[in-house]
Amino acid sequence: MCLIGKSAVRLWQRLVITGTLAVMASAVARADTTGTLSVDLSKPGADIPEHFFGLMTEEINHAYDGGLYAELIQNRSFQDPVRNTNSLPVHWSLVGSGKVTTDRSDPVNSALPVSLRLDLSGDSAGVANDGYWGIPVRPDTTYTATFFAKAGGGFAGPVTAFLQSEDGATVFASAGTPQIANGWRKYTLNLKTDHSAPATASARFVLSASGTGRIWFSLVSLFPPTYQHAPNGLRPDLMQLMSELKPKFIRLPGGNYAEGSRFADRFNWKQMIGPIDTRPGHMGCWGYRSSDGFGLPEYLLWCKQLGAEPVLAVFAGYVLNGDHFNAGSQEMAIYTQEALDEIEYISGPAQSKWGKRRAADGFSEPFPLHYVEIGNEDWFDRSGSYDGRFTQMARAIRERYPRLKIIATAPVSSFKPDMYDDHFYRGAHQLMQMATLYDKPSGPAAPLTFNGGGWNGRQPDGIKTFVGEWAAQEGRPTPNLNSALGDAAFVMGLEKNSDAVLMECYAPLLVNVSAADPGKGYPKAMQWNTNLIGYDALRCFGSVSYYAQVMLAQNKGDAVLQAHLQGIATAATADGRVLFATATLSKSDKTVLVKVVNFGDAAADLEIRLEGQAHIEPTGTAIVLAGDPSWVNTADEPLRVAPQQEAIANAGASFHRSFSPHSLTILRLKVSTP
Ligand code: AHR
């Protein structure tokens, strides 16, 4: 069970329901900064798109293998590149007195070219896998093991599967096959732990047999219960955390992973559909191999289970080592067709060629698809080929799917995109300053320039913006509170400008925080320093920024309200901006959502004025995230900084409130209308 998702968020919900008054730091902090925040209820502005909040995702930091994809066996097809010193595939070892070797003769199929051969020598012997930084064992849990096996050299016995302690001294669960046949066959076993089993990741998975002869194994897999019990499914605790973010889209696959380091390792979606034993896997761009058990159908499963739409990124003929094909080339024709087929796989009817394949993968209903992104960060392509590549693909997509909105990742001139995808990784304070980036200029607009992954403001000519990657970069492996505040202000600024910025998603989303363990062949699991949600084999936790974003996502509202800060003493930050405030309106339940970030070192005392209605007597709730700006949540101490709630009763149309230093506050004010 997840350490945070249920406990903290549920606690927070309970506090709203009972109206319990939490003791807030803001109530006692000294107010050095005073001013007025006026919110005009009479003229609701732009509608905030329903699909404003989303998730960005790629295979980085063991986000899928060793993360969201619930598979527990690392290197299940024995093809991971790093070798053990004993010449066995990495993460595999011999148990007992036999001999283990890899064998490329007579594979199960071409997607599984390597099998593991176990030669028995009379006694009991087996092969053991140590998982992704351990195999998580929990009490009263049923695990499903599947593997291909064949017998030879006279072996005619069963194979027994064990979940056991790392030293083999304690067995947590076991199950046996019938007699292994001489040809390849798939075996499925259920292993059930009992009530007394510990919750531990210090465990291994073993397949063993006794007697003489040989056994070959291929595609050895072990799944715990998955989210909503989906086959080949997802880790429940992480899904629970993500569901609290209420994502309405998933950018898939985002980032460098969509491109790949070399053409041979590009995101080749056609190799990532169908049964897992037909997926060969590929070398990812972040230093480790991807099993591709988490492929395109699993992205769709993720969308379906979270109620989110895919925002599809298609491979666009450029890879990270700089190789690319120009528009008009034979290869670009192939990639363009692949993109059209991918769109059909996701959104086409079940009778269409690729829709049929999706239905065979378990999704008879087409998925809604409104946005297709061509490439990723193509501004890295210094050859200038993107304009041509983009235009070739955009024209083909527009012709076949005229209603799809097309997203460009770098400046283009030959085809007008519907959106640009801007990316920003910045310091915490810098990101807070960028909260006004997309504001409508009060005077003549500054010339638009593109720099370091994003534009310097809102687009002209009806082109919209998707902020498809962004994050403040303080705190490792997850953001500290300072970052969370920069992040919060930035998102509030995007939301305020959601007539121009239609969607946003933080990156990277997931990080396996496990440390390096060279003795077992484990490098450190993460590649990126600052990430939203952390976990190891057994536990998961939301970062402080995760909580800030749960607050914002759960209090979005549907229209922007004008909010003006005045009379604020300037002191604590370099640009003089200590506070940032916005407001939105939830029309259905007549709730005004006032959102305030205090980035400064002193409390801020504000008079909140709700203007534009005759009788306003707000009651409601204040949700506050506040604390030491350097605090980083961890798996061991995840609850140190989590939002708190308090009730607000009959505050009137104008009331005072103190905002703690280093805080994000959302006031949910129920207003009575005249
Ligand atoms: O989010 C991490 C990386 O940052 C992404 O893969 C890439 O698009 C960006 O440069």
Side-chain angles (χ1 to χ4, degrees):
M1 174 154 104
C2 176
L3 289 176
I4 290 292
K6 287 181 183 144
S7 49
V9 178
R10 292 281 139 74
L11 167 71
W12 169 18
Q13 285 162 351
R14 229 179 12 253
L15 289 174
V16 184
I17 292 160
T18 59
T20 305
L21 183 66
V23 179
M24 304 307 307
S26 57
V28 293
R30 194 168 62 90
D32 288 351
T33 311
T34 58
T36 307
L37 175 65
S38 312
V39 179
D40 186 353
L41 274 61
S42 64
K43 293 191 282 286
D47 283 348
I48 304 165
E50 200 203 328
H51 289 89
F52 183 72
F53 289 104
L55 303 178
M56 140 71 183
T57 162
E58 65 171 315
E59 178 57 291
I60 184 173
N61 303 320
H62 284 272
Y64 308 152
D65 285 353
L68 182 59
Y69 182 45
E71 173 65 82
L72 298 179
I73 302 298
Q74 182 156 200
N75 196 13
R76 68 185 182 183
S77 66
F78 321 118
Q79 294 178 80
D80 285 4
V82 189
R83 313 296 303 179
N84 277 336
T85 44
N86 60 10
S87 85
L88 288 181
V90 67
H91 302 297
W92 289 95
S93 57
L94 170 68
V95 175
S97 57
K99 186 176 163 212
V100 182
T101 47
T102 53
D103 190 348
R104 287 180 171 266
S105 63
D106 188 32
V108 173
N109 61 34
S110 59
L112 299 171
V114 186
S115 48
L116 202 59
R117 172 176 154 163
L118 173 66
D119 282 89
L120 299 165
S121 59
D123 287 335
S124 167
V127 290
N129 187 276
D130 56 15
Y132 291 97
W133 292 266
I135 291 196
V137 169
R138 294 183 173 88
D140 298 318
T141 303
T142 301
Y143 297 76
T144 307
T146 58
F147 54 91
F148 289 88
K150 67 171 179 171
F155 178 73
V159 162
T160 307
F162 294 97
L163 262 178
Q164 57 184 222
S165 56
E166 280 175 333
D167 61 3
T170 310
V171 171
F172 304 123
S174 66
T177 65
Q179 181 178 321
I180 300 291
N182 280 335
W184 283 115
R185 265 191 51 191
K186 187 173 176 184
Y187 297 87
T188 301
L189 298 174
N190 290 322
L191 291 85
K192 187 169 180 339
T193 58
D194 67 24
H195 199 58
S196 64
T200 178
S202 299
R204 65 185 187 183
F205 177 70
V206 175
L207 290 174
S208 82
S210 39
T212 55
R214 292 184 283 283
I215 313 166
W216 286 263
F217 296 106
S218 188
L219 195 65
V220 180
S221 167
L222 180 70
F223 271 82
T226 61
Y227 191 66
Q228 295 175 352
H229 310 289
N232 202 45
L234 311 178
R235 199 172 136 165
D237 54 355
L238 292 176
M239 288 296 279
Q240 181 60 40
L241 273 184
M242 284 188 262
S243 72
E244 305 286 356
L245 287 163
K246 303 224 170 299
K248 288 290 183 261
F249 70 88
I250 300 181
R251 177 178 170 230
L252 58 91
N256 293 352
Y257 185 65
E259 300 160 281
S261 304
R262 313 170 304 154
F263 270 101
D265 299 323
R266 70 195 169 86
F267 187 85
N268 189 352
W269 69 271
K270 287 184 182 175
Q271 309 253 3
M272 304 178 194
I273 59 175
I276 57 169
D277 53 64
T278 63
R279 303 185 197 178
H282 77 290
M283 190 61 199
C285 63
W286 293 102
Y288 58 96
R289 197 168 188 282
S290 169
S291 73
D292 292 344
F294 189 100
L296 195 50
E298 289 68 35
Y299 282 112
L300 297 182
L301 173 69
W302 189 7
C303 287
K304 190 174 171 183
Q305 291 185 325
L306 290 185
E309 267 188 27
V311 169
L312 175 67
V314 294
F315 179 71
Y318 173 84
V319 289
L320 297 167
N321 69 2
D323 288 349
H324 63 275
F325 289 104
N326 286 320
S329 63
Q330 216 180 358
E331 288 79 4
M332 278 308 297
I334 293 170
Y335 302 141
T336 302
Q337 187 57 47
E338 279 181 4
L340 295 172
D341 293 346
E342 194 173 7
I343 294 168
E344 185 174 288
Y345 179 93
I346 293 173
S347 62
Q351 301 74 26
S352 62
K353 178 177 174 196
W354 291 101
K356 205 178 280 174
R357 294 291 294 272
R358 182 198 63 240
D361 287 340
F363 306 100
S364 50
E365 289 299 314
F367 282 76
L369 183 70
H370 293 99
Y371 297 98
V372 172
E373 176 159 8
I374 297 180
N376 175 64
E377 293 191 341
D378 285 83
W379 48 280
F380 273 109
D381 174 7
R382 307 292 181 206
S383 76
S385 75
Y386 184 59
D387 188 56
R389 291 186 286 111
F390 173 80
T391 300
Q392 177 172 351
M393 297 187 76
R395 281 192 183 136
I397 293 169
R398 177 62 37 90
E399 194 182 321
R400 174 105 171 259
Y401 298 100
R403 285 211 294 267
L404 277 182
K405 304 281 185 213
I406 298 176
I407 306 172
T409 75
V412 285
S413 54
S414 306
F415 184 102
K416 185 178 166 189
D418 297 294
M419 279 178 139
Y420 275 110
D421 178 0
D422 287 354
H423 292 183
F424 303 107
Y425 295 100
R426 299 287 191 274
H429 181 235
Q430 224 181 343
L431 207 61
M432 181 180 181
Q433 288 175 300
M434 287 169 62
T436 54
L437 183 69
Y438 296 102
D439 280 5
K440 277 191 192 123
S442 45
L448 261 189
T449 55
F450 183 88
N451 193 7
W455 295 88
N456 61 337
R458 54 169 60 208
Q459 297 288 328
D461 305 332
I463 299 175
K464 303 290 182 184
T465 297
F466 168 33
V467 184
E469 291 183 30
W470 63 269
Q473 299 292 286
E474 267 180 42
R476 296 174 186 189
T478 56
N480 62 16
L481 178 62
N482 213 35
S483 273
L485 299 179
D487 289 344
F490 184 66
V491 174
M492 285 156 54
L494 301 182
E495 185 185 68
K496 178 182 158 203
N497 288 295
S498 56
D499 58 321
V501 181
L502 300 192
M503 304 187 295
E504 66 78 23
C505 45
Y506 182 104
L509 173 67
L510 296 168
V511 61
N512 186 320
V513 300
S514 301
D517 187 348
K520 289 186 178 163
Y522 289 127
K524 95 179 160 183
M526 60 184 268
Q527 290 80 46
W528 196 266
N529 285 332
T530 310
N531 311 277
L532 196 64
I533 292 173
Y535 49 89
D536 55 23
L538 202 61
R539 306 169 298 174
C540 72
F541 65 97
S543 65
V544 195
S545 192
Y546 162 85
Y547 283 107
Q549 284 167 66
V550 169
M551 284 170 66
L552 291 167
Q554 296 193 356
N555 294 284
K556 173 167 94 58
D558 31 42
V560 175
L561 293 172
Q562 296 294 323
H564 294 293
L565 270 174
Q566 284 164 306
I568 303 300
T570 59
T573 58
D575 73 334
R577 189 183 307 137
V578 177
L579 293 187
F580 185 67
T582 58
T584 60
L585 176 68
S586 172
K587 292 177 189 163
S588 56
D589 58 356
K590 294 199 180 97
T591 300
V592 175
L593 301 151
V594 177
K595 307 165 193 191
V596 179
V597 169
N598 182 359
F599 209 77
D601 297 327
D605 189 17
L606 289 184
E607 184 189 349
I608 316 276
R609 289 186 194 150
L610 301 180
E611 295 173 343
Q613 300 250 5
H615 305 290
I616 306 167
E617 287 197 359
T619 58
T621 320
I623 311 163
V624 185
L625 183 67
D628 177 342
S630 66
W631 177 255
V632 180
N633 279 352
T634 67
D636 296 323
E637 206 172 359
L639 281 172
R640 181 77 172 270
V641 176
Q644 310 256 12
Q645 298 236 14
E646 65 175 293
I648 299 174
N650 297 325
S654 170
F655 62 96
H656 281 263
R657 177 163 184 101
S658 181
F659 294 87
S660 306
H662 315 296
S663 67
L664 165 66
T665 303
I666 296 183
L667 306 178
R668 290 186 57 89
L669 304 170
K670 279 242 175 225
V671 292
S672 55
T673 44

